[in-house]
Amino acid sequence: MNTKTALITGVTGQDGSYLADFLLEKGYRVVGMVRRSSTENFGRIQHLHGQIELKQADLLDQLSLISLIEQVQPDEVYNMAAQSFVPTSWVQPVLTAEFTALGVTRLLEAIRLVNPKIRFYQASSSEMFGKVRETPQTETTPFHPRSPYGVAKVYGHFITVNYRESFDLFACSGILFNHESPRRGKEFVTRKVTYGVARIKHGLDDKLQLGNLDAARDWGYAADYVRAMWLMLQQPEPGDFVVGTGIAHTVRDLVQISFDQAGLDWEEHVSLDPNLIRPAEVDQLLADGTKAREVLGWEPQVSFEQLVRMMVDADLALVGNESASARQGALL
């Protein structure tokens, strides 16, 4: 049996790194696309050194993508690369559009020109629903994005549909609801909370500043969600799938469980900062994952509470190691 080759853009991110883990277990040859940068951030894939190949290309550079596809000859392409932090999309809306919207077009065009038989996965987002028209949200719920990031993701979603319908590409869009892990960036609220709790527990901080505690999200475990991505590309026909747990939790729930795991009272340490509230809030996102269950056979394995407690434990260990390293450095 021939070994399949998968190309992952955004391999150094949370989802890209978990997807690389998953595909290696499936026996794939895994190639990760990385941008040329003066500072390299390979922390999430450090454990995969020697197991995956890294190739340079850029979603802003059409020719580099064509060259990459020709060189790698992938069977499957997973587009995980994007400017993915919602608050930054208000500060850098044009750059967000270049990567998160037009970057999808450049990648699809490269596939169309080099080998239209390649199977393509686009990482869409529940942020596309924004000001929701119905709850829960399905594959047919109208989009009303409430941030430049959400708008860019809607473009990426529909250009994927367009290339599927226009050029008969096997192109799938996974509309993933929030998914977290110990590998999540510290700028995201889940990791901001769990890392902040760990710093308070270790005596390094006393307060954690947050915005809207009532914002509700459908949160799951990233390692569960990459399995759904792979399943989409194994189907006889391409399609779009909502992926989520179907259970909403508030930021307040996240805070309470996190502080409880560390043996702390959250009300003694959390303060509210109005500056941290979004210009246009997305009040409640909740997935109806019926299609993913029935067609893909996908179900989440890790509950919200298990996920949060896992993340707090990981950050308690991380902050402990950081503190020990800092003390050791001060003695040298």
Side-chain angles (χ1 to χ4, degrees):
M1 189 174 94
N2 292 332
T3 300
K4 280 188 177 181
T5 296
L7 172 64
I8 305 172
T9 73
V11 72
T12 60
Q14 170 189 259
D15 291 7
S17 65
Y18 278 114
L19 180 60
D21 289 338
F22 178 84
L23 293 176
L24 286 171
E25 290 176 7
K26 291 286 182 184
Y28 278 66
R29 170 193 172 219
V30 177
V31 181
M33 186 188 97
V34 294
R35 299 179 65 209
R36 174 71 182 90
S37 173
S38 57
T39 57
E40 296 179 336
N41 182 17
F42 295 155
R44 294 185 184 92
I45 56 171
Q46 199 167 10
H47 65 291
L48 299 178
H49 181 72
Q51 299 181 63
I52 66 174
E53 303 169 40
L54 298 179
K55 303 286 186 183
Q56 286 187 1
D58 199 311
L59 287 181
L60 302 186
D61 185 345
Q62 180 74 71
L63 288 178
S64 74
L65 297 174
I66 293 171
S67 176
L68 178 66
I69 299 292
E70 287 176 337
Q71 181 184 1
V72 173
Q73 291 294 313
D75 300 285
E76 299 170 359
V77 172
Y78 296 85
N79 184 35
M80 322 300 285
Q83 191 301 101
S84 61
F85 188 45
V86 173
T88 297
S89 74
W90 274 290
V91 181
Q92 296 180 311
V94 175
L95 185 66
T96 298
E98 286 285 355
F99 278 114
T100 309
L102 293 181
V104 186
T105 313
R106 296 186 187 103
L107 194 50
L108 284 164
E109 188 65 4
I111 290 170
R112 184 184 73 83
L113 291 171
V114 177
N115 179 6
K117 298 299 182 186
I118 292 169
R119 296 192 168 202
F120 176 78
Y121 171 83
Q122 165 61 12
S124 287
S125 169
S126 59
E127 288 286 333
M128 300 188 305
F129 295 119
K131 189 175 182 179
V132 297
R133 309 289 184 87
E134 61 184 8
T135 300
Q137 294 89 49
T138 72
E139 292 79 8
T140 58
T141 300
F143 299 136
H144 188 146
R146 300 268 279 172
S147 67
Y149 169 78
V151 172
K153 278 293 186 182
V154 169
Y155 178 99
H157 173 83
F158 277 125
I159 200 67
T160 300
V161 173
N162 186 258
Y163 268 67
R164 179 171 72 220
E165 295 176 351
S166 301
F167 303 114
D168 199 29
L169 296 188
F170 194 107
C172 297
S173 183
I175 306 173
L176 270 58
F177 282 62
N178 294 64
H179 45 287
E180 317 295 323
S181 75
R183 299 182 195 174
R184 190 57 139 159
K186 293 174 188 171
E187 69 272 22
F188 290 87
V189 68
T190 46
R191 189 76 196 290
K192 178 181 179 179
V193 169
T194 61
Y195 187 75
V197 165
R199 286 186 60 84
I200 292 170
K201 182 66 174 180
H202 282 282
L204 300 174
D205 289 326
D206 185 56
K207 292 293 182 183
L208 176 63
Q209 290 192 322
L210 295 171
N212 182 7
L213 296 185
D214 296 318
R217 293 291 184 273
D218 182 333
W219 273 303
Y221 179 37
D224 282 343
Y225 286 46
V226 300
R227 189 172 73 255
M229 301 173 191
W230 175 77
L231 284 167
M232 289 179 209
L233 297 196
Q234 313 314 308
Q235 302 306 306
E237 298 293 333
D240 305 322
F241 294 86
V242 162
V243 178
T245 68
I247 303 171
H249 295 275
T250 63
V251 174
R252 183 177 279 100
D253 296 332
L254 164 68
V255 168
Q256 289 173 335
I257 296 170
S258 296
F259 277 90
D260 179 74
Q261 183 66 7
L264 298 170
D265 181 350
W266 73 273
E267 292 183 296
E268 293 179 4
H269 300 284
V270 172
S271 60
L272 301 183
D273 182 354
N275 294 320
L276 295 176
I277 296 177
R278 292 182 181 187
E281 183 56 88
V282 175
D283 296 314
Q284 186 177 55
L285 295 174
L286 183 64
D288 180 345
T290 301
K291 183 180 177 183
R293 284 196 306 272
E294 294 179 351
V295 177
L296 305 179
W298 181 86
E299 293 275 4
Q301 303 297 312
V302 175
S303 72
F304 174 73
E305 182 168 342
Q306 289 172 322
L307 168 64
V308 175
R309 294 186 185 279
M310 173 205 308
M311 291 176 65
V312 171
D313 287 345
D315 277 330
L316 285 169
L318 176 64
V319 173
N321 289 335
E322 289 174 346
S323 299
S325 296
R327 286 194 299 270
Q328 187 175 14
L331 295 173
L332 295 178

